[in-house]
Amino acid sequence: MKITVWTKIGCPWCIEVVDLLNERHLAFEERVVTNNQAHWDEMVRISHQSKAPVVDIDGHLLIDTDAETVAAHLATVAAH
């Protein structure tokens, strides 16, 4: 499973999503968009908006999401 997470520093939803992934021992790449123009541009390009977190799980985008939504999607993926 390939997971990429775009986050903003200080964003409580971002922290919750990262904590969830860490608690489940899932490998992921975190791309902090705060003060990183390349990561910011990439997040906006793929999500068409500026709110974080954005999570890409095997090509499925969860945009302006939260830990509950990410957990629900992971459960769906695990069921298949």
Side-chain angles (χ1 to χ4, degrees):
M1 179 179 310
K2 183 172 188 229
I3 303 172
T4 306
V5 183
W6 290 264
T7 62
K8 291 180 182 177
I9 293 173
C11 164
W13 298 277
C14 299
I15 293 166
E16 289 176 0
V17 167
V18 167
D19 286 348
L20 170 77
L21 297 172
N22 282 325
E23 288 166 7
R24 293 188 180 202
H25 305 287
L26 294 171
F28 66 96
E29 179 181 351
E30 181 178 9
R31 296 181 183 169
V32 180
V33 301
T34 307
N35 299 322
N36 186 314
Q37 192 65 49
H39 287 176
W40 173 266
D41 291 345
E42 179 183 44
M43 182 185 78
V44 171
R45 180 178 49 76
I46 67 165
S47 69
H48 304 287
Q49 52 83 54
S50 61
K51 295 179 182 174
V54 172
V55 181
D56 180 338
I57 301 173
D58 290 336
H60 180 88
L61 287 178
L62 300 167
I63 298 170
D64 186 21
T65 193
D66 59 19
E68 184 177 324
T69 303
V70 173
H73 181 72
L74 290 169
T76 301
V77 169
H80 290 101

